[in-house]
Amino acid sequence: MSFINYSSREINCKIVYYGPGLCGKTTNLQYIYRRTNPDQKGKLISLATETERTLFFDFLPLALGDIKGFKIRFHLYTVPGQVFYAASRKLILKGVDGVVFVGDSQIERMDSNLESYEDLRINLNEQGYELEKLPFAIQYNKRDLPNVVPVAEMDKLLNKRRVPYFEAVAVTGKGVFETLKAVAKQVLFELKKHY
Amino acid sequence: MTGSDLVMYEEEFRRIDVELQKLHQQANAKVVFLVDKNGQLIASAGETHDIDTTSLASLTAGNIAATGGIARLLGEKEFTILFHEGEKDNIHISLIGQRIILVVIFDGRSSLGLVRLRVKKASETLTRIFEEITQKVEKDRGEGKLEESLFAEISDEDIDNLFR
């Protein structure tokens, strides 16, 4: 549900980072924030608990540049990953234009990944969307840890739709911009298709 | 992404701007702004230079979404007005139609009663304008005018260039 403003010549789109608790969604946004020119970004807003777990959402407005005189702005959101914040997660998906699923590569987190993926699909359906039709990219995060599942196996489990996927280490920035680019591109191509 | 995308044209934007300026004056407000329910800022009037309006827009929409969630838990359809009172500044948030949020920030130079009264009047006009926008977009989409105007000109290369 993008917002196209012919008067201020702006196109605004919403991208949501989804995934299980502690998979690195906020870390993705923090890295993007650190590595973006001040004139391209707004403030990074984090509504977090005292232990730095996301309580409601993180928000980062990002201006990527211009196309035909229109400023392209992406509004990046994360959802709280912890299971008991289900209500908040649902709300943040309202009006979403594209989704990034961040999977935790550690062996012991595979069940949480699957659970979160299913939760994403159900919550999107409740908002009237189908995951199969939305711009979508998957990130396999924490690839630097010793106890990780091979990418091919994760891909078999989580990437049923065969969307672009990226290996990442969000704390160092590996794969972060690649993932964002992949979903942002799909969002713009989708807009082009519909108008 | 279907027919529910919000498209704003110059003419309607000017009418919205005039209405917001009027509300800003008549309610003695500091700042008045309009936000899409998805958190995107549509327009604003007043002393906006010190305020991070983009973040405010996103948090306001989050606030409305959370309040809507509370309403449903209590068996209400929606709470249409939110009011937060601060030491110096107060914020009055109301839903217009089902899609747009009107926010008024005011201090001791105004009062809640005055703001409520003026917001009610402005809401009626703004509702009409947004209905017209929806009709216009649907008409243009039906006639294929939107295609000709902007997106048809965007090439794959333009999109690729954004990421270089």
Side-chain angles (χ1 to χ4, degrees):
Chain A
M1 264 194 235
S2 43
F3 173 34
I4 303 156
N5 191 337
Y6 281 83
S7 183
S8 58
R9 302 190 75 75
E10 273 183 15
I11 297 169
N12 289 273
C13 307
K14 177 172 178 175
I15 293 174
V16 175
Y17 283 69
Y18 210 96
L22 291 176
C23 70
K25 303 174 288 294
T26 303
T27 313
N28 263 270
L29 256 62
Q30 284 167 340
Y31 185 80
I32 294 166
Y33 181 76
R34 279 203 306 275
R35 288 303 165 103
T36 311
N37 293 330
D39 55 337
Q40 284 185 294
K41 69 188 177 193
K43 252 189 215 148
L44 173 63
I45 299 274
S46 282
L47 304 179
T49 61
E50 277 172 21
T51 52
E52 308 245 318
R53 307 288 296 266
T54 304
L55 180 62
F56 194 11
F57 60 74
D58 305 300
F59 168 65
L60 175 62
L62 203 62
L64 277 186
D66 289 44
I67 294 186
K68 307 274 180 229
F70 272 74
K71 188 174 251 184
I72 312 291
R73 269 183 212 272
F74 283 97
H75 296 221
L76 310 184
Y77 286 80
T78 69
V79 296
Q82 284 158 290
V83 176
F84 50 87
Y85 289 132
S88 312
R89 267 198 303 281
K90 214 176 283 184
L91 296 174
I92 292 145
L93 286 173
K94 271 188 185 167
V96 67
D97 291 302
V99 178
V100 170
F101 184 83
V102 181
D104 190 324
S105 297
Q106 298 173 92
I107 294 165
E108 67 272 21
R109 300 296 288 159
M110 282 309 118
D111 283 347
S112 306
N113 287 332
L114 285 168
E115 199 183 323
S116 175
Y117 188 91
E118 192 52 22
D119 183 61
L120 166 65
R121 214 178 49 74
I122 292 167
N123 285 337
L124 281 171
N125 282 351
E126 278 185 28
Q127 307 281 355
Y129 297 101
E130 282 175 64
L131 179 57
E132 289 68 30
K133 289 182 183 163
L134 271 178
F136 187 39
I138 298 182
Q139 182 184 88
Y140 302 124
N141 194 22
K142 306 194 183 184
R143 296 308 301 173
D144 57 330
L145 297 181
N147 55 336
V148 297
V149 176
V151 168
E153 203 173 312
M154 284 190 81
D155 209 48
K156 217 166 134 188
L157 276 175
L158 295 167
N159 196 357
K160 301 257 162 34
R161 207 183 119 192
R162 315 307 304 157
V163 295
Y165 65 89
F166 301 88
E167 291 185 48
V169 183
V171 277
T172 65
K174 184 185 173 221
V176 169
F177 274 99
E178 289 82 351
T179 315
L180 172 64
K181 274 180 201 174
V183 74
K185 254 180 158 173
Q186 290 178 57
V187 169
L188 291 172
F189 278 118
E190 194 69 16
L191 260 182
K192 205 184 151 192
K193 239 195 283 174
H194 281 282
Y195 284 94
Chain B
M1 290 193 298
T2 51
S4 47
D5 291 333
L6 183 60
V7 179
M8 177 75 64
Y9 296 104
E10 197 99 37
E11 187 196 333
E12 283 75 16
F13 189 79
R14 268 204 303 274
R15 285 170 62 199
I16 288 169
D17 194 48
V18 167
E19 200 51 40
L20 287 192
Q21 300 287 354
K22 202 163 98 186
L23 176 62
H24 172 244
Q25 270 188 342
Q26 291 184 339
N28 261 347
K30 285 175 84 172
V31 188
V32 173
F33 61 90
L34 272 181
V35 181
D36 171 65
K37 251 189 171 180
N38 304 327
Q40 287 152 0
L41 180 73
I42 298 172
S44 64
E47 306 153 31
T48 50
H49 47 276
D50 290 336
I51 296 178
D52 176 359
T53 46
T54 311
S55 299
L56 204 53
S58 152
L59 290 170
T60 303
N63 198 351
I64 279 281
T67 310
I70 295 170
R72 276 187 295 281
L73 287 177
L74 297 178
E76 281 284 333
K77 197 174 153 221
E78 207 144 36
F79 293 123
T80 48
I81 291 176
L82 301 183
F83 176 61
H84 302 298
E85 191 175 281
E87 266 179 39
K88 290 197 305 282
D89 291 336
N90 312 300
I91 183 162
H92 183 280
I93 304 172
S94 53
L95 270 176
I96 295 187
Q98 282 307 302
R99 173 98 199 243
I100 309 296
I101 304 163
L102 173 61
V103 183
V104 180
I105 300 173
F106 64 98
D107 58 18
R109 289 172 292 178
S110 186
S111 69
L112 179 57
L114 179 66
V115 169
R116 284 192 73 154
L117 180 75
R118 299 301 186 195
V119 160
K120 206 171 171 199
K121 279 204 113 176
S123 298
E124 289 164 13
T125 315
L126 289 166
T127 304
R128 270 200 306 279
I129 298 173
F130 278 101
E131 277 168 6
E132 283 167 34
I133 291 173
T134 311
Q135 283 164 9
K136 191 168 174 176
V137 171
E138 269 164 25
K139 188 167 165 263
D140 282 1
R141 200 193 303 264
E143 292 171 2
K145 276 188 194 163
L146 281 171
E147 245 167 79
E148 289 161 27
S149 57
L150 169 65
F151 289 94
E153 289 175 19
I154 294 179
S155 66
D156 296 358
E157 204 188 335
D158 286 330
I159 296 175
D160 281 332
N161 282 339
L162 270 186
F163 300 98
R164 289 221 169 107

